Amino acid sequence: MTNSRRALIAVLFASLFVVGGSTAFAQIANHPLAQTPPMGWNSWNKFGCGVSENLVRETADAMVSSGMKDAGYQYVNIDDCWQVSRDAQGAIVADPTRFPSGIKALADYVHSKGLKLGVYTDAGRLTCEGRPGGLDHELQDVKTYAGWGVDYVKIDWCHAEGLDPEKQYVKFRDAIAQAGRPIVFSICNWGVKAPWTWGPHTGNLWRTTGDISDHYDRMSVIGFSQNGLEKFAGPGHWNDPDMLEVGNGGMKRDEYLTHMSLWALLAAPLLAGNDLRSMNAETKEILTNPEIIAVDQDAKGVQGHRVWDEGPLEIWVKPLADGSNAVGLFNRGESELKITLDLKMLGIRGPARLRDLWTHQDVGSTQDSYSPQVPKHGVMMLRVSK
Ligand code: GLA
């Protein structure tokens, strides 16, 4: 082949790529979504397959009346089991017993509350609970969701043997762009094939691990293993260490404070996974703490990372838009321990002001270091400002 011929082919190939790529991204660029980590609720952790339109309506009501909406929670997401079959045209069908009014009516109701609706599907043949998956129906399903007014879709990875997640999830990305409705795209393939490497140009968030459970051991293994992934996150594209278990009863208060603090430092999506209709004051206080939520939702959009560890003790830092730092002093040990924050860990010199974000109190200023006692499985969450 001559050089000029080779050059011509290269130009044609490149322009094809740019045109194809830009149609997909143009839609997304017009509707920048998830500029801060998505906040909302998801049915799975508490209710499993026990979803229904009544549950979703009552949850939307509770999100407003409890103050969750005012605190920033927005998406009401139905997880697995809302779908039962496909009709003669291949369109996905919602369970007529549990969702007798249909998903469109539910979306209208949720929207009337100033909230947004999410649904769940799977990139494989079946969902994890054996309901119809989205394989070979990617565009058809996304168009159906868009027609219903869905604002968020979580796409799982069960029954996907032999498929390449990177390729399959791109089909949904392009389907969302083609459907033309701003829909947050949540990739849920549990870290298979390192989604943090291709997730940023595919979806708005991607799960980095297997499922969380309402136990300190599982929550802490997931949360503290996120170090190093911070370079892949930013506005519009977030690592997802899974949904919250706060308020489900399997952890002690200090453990839930660790969960919420760590997720905020990780700039993780904050999807409550408890029963919003019946939460007690303690759960509500943890989920709606404005100073903790401000860390998660900070406009700089930087995911925090670990700056120091010593046995069961860890210090994590998240730089914030105003130049201050959110700092978590974590004690993963089995008894109360003293942890010393040295300002050098933050790359700053004293004096610096310290604020306790759980008690909402200024705890003074320091020239060099600060050494609080931190309870077993607990945390001291600080904002450190010059
Ligand atoms: C997988 C996901 C969970 C949940 C269930 C539903 O396990 O990781 O978050 O969606 O499927 O079946």
Side-chain angles (χ1 to χ4, degrees):
M1 202 188 302
T2 63
N3 273 348
S4 57
R5 215 153 196 230
R6 215 176 269 136
L8 182 65
I9 288 173
V11 167
L12 284 174
F13 188 77
S15 56
L16 255 183
F17 183 78
V18 168
V19 170
S22 68
T23 32
F25 282 116
Q27 302 275 5
I28 295 167
N30 288 342
H31 302 284
L33 288 168
Q35 293 301 290
T36 60
M39 291 177 67
W41 172 89
N42 174 292
S43 53
W44 182 254
N45 283 353
K46 173 73 183 175
F47 298 97
C49 259
V51 289
S52 67
E53 65 180 43
N54 285 344
L55 172 66
V56 175
R57 281 169 178 256
E58 289 169 14
T59 298
D61 293 346
M63 197 178 267
V64 176
S65 62
S66 64
M68 292 276 287
K69 180 185 176 215
D70 287 343
Y73 294 85
Q74 187 182 24
Y75 292 97
V76 180
N77 293 349
I78 317 168
D79 208 276
D80 206 347
C81 304
W82 63 267
Q83 63 282 73
V84 279
S85 58
R86 293 193 178 276
D87 69 14
Q89 285 71 46
I92 195 78
V93 175
D95 184 332
T97 313
R98 289 176 170 270
F99 294 88
S101 316
I103 306 296
K104 167 96 177 72
L106 198 50
D108 290 345
Y109 183 79
V110 169
H111 293 158
S112 77
K113 297 270 155 182
L115 300 169
K116 294 181 182 297
L117 185 78
V119 295
Y120 160 103
T121 186
D122 190 287
R125 289 179 299 107
L126 300 169
T127 72
C128 294
E129 291 293 326
R131 308 305 175 90
L135 184 63
D136 298 330
H137 292 271
E138 293 84 1
L139 184 58
Q140 181 181 26
D141 283 356
V142 170
K143 281 186 168 167
T144 302
Y145 304 152
W148 286 340
V150 164
D151 309 290
Y152 186 115
V153 62
K154 168 178 169 180
I155 305 188
D156 216 338
W157 192 241
C158 277
H159 302 283
E161 297 76 16
L163 299 174
D164 176 350
E166 194 173 348
K167 292 203 178 85
Q168 293 307 123
Y169 283 107
V170 159
K171 292 184 188 171
F172 287 100
R173 177 198 72 187
D174 292 347
I176 291 170
Q178 218 175 310
R181 180 177 173 83
I183 296 177
V184 170
F185 178 15
S186 159
I187 295 169
C188 175
N189 81 325
W190 326 307
V192 175
K193 207 181 169 195
W196 43 90
T197 59
W198 44 269
H201 58 259
T202 308
N204 298 110
L205 58 154
W206 52 89
R207 282 274 298 280
T208 56
T209 70
D211 289 7
I212 197 168
S213 69
D214 189 19
H215 298 99
Y216 175 75
D217 286 350
R218 181 64 186 152
M219 177 281 293
S220 59
V221 161
I222 290 178
F224 290 110
S225 72
Q226 302 300 297
N227 197 45
L229 295 181
E230 63 278 359
K231 52 181 168 293
F232 303 103
H237 50 99
W238 308 100
N239 288 300
D240 175 7
D242 208 355
M243 305 170 292
L244 297 170
E245 292 282 9
V246 176
N248 280 336
M251 291 186 238
K252 301 210 161 57
R253 177 180 152 81
D254 279 328
E255 298 172 336
Y256 283 137
L257 296 186
T258 290
H259 185 11
M260 191 74 190
S261 304
L262 189 49
W263 263 236
L265 287 164
L266 293 171
L270 296 179
L271 294 168
N274 59 315
D275 190 342
L276 301 191
R277 303 166 304 177
S278 58
M279 41 179 184
N280 61 25
E282 179 177 311
T283 297
K284 200 188 302 183
E285 181 224 317
I286 297 174
L287 285 172
T288 61
N289 181 321
E291 296 192 71
I292 299 292
I293 289 174
V295 170
D296 181 80
Q297 296 288 301
D298 184 73
K300 195 176 175 84
V302 173
Q303 177 175 330
H305 69 287
R306 183 165 50 222
V307 293
W308 176 87
D309 65 296
E310 180 182 292
L313 308 179
E314 302 196 12
I315 298 181
W316 288 64
V317 174
K318 181 183 199 284
L320 303 175
D322 69 354
S324 67
N325 284 292
V327 181
L329 313 184
F330 294 96
N331 175 6
R332 300 178 68 179
E334 300 303 318
S335 64
E336 182 179 88
L337 290 167
K338 187 172 84 177
I339 307 186
T340 297
L341 168 69
D342 189 327
L343 293 185
K344 289 197 205 87
M345 295 170 183
L346 311 180
I348 60 173
R349 286 165 184 259
R353 287 177 290 120
L354 308 172
R355 182 169 172 82
D356 182 331
L357 302 186
W358 282 113
T359 62
H360 307 296
Q361 296 198 341
D362 293 330
V363 289
S365 72
T366 179
Q367 277 299 334
D368 43 30
S369 65
Y370 177 59
S371 300
Q373 293 286 339
V374 179
K376 159 188 172 175
H377 293 183
V379 59
M380 175 88 164
M381 248 316 245
L382 298 169
R383 189 160 185 143
V384 181
S385 320
K386 281 292 292 173

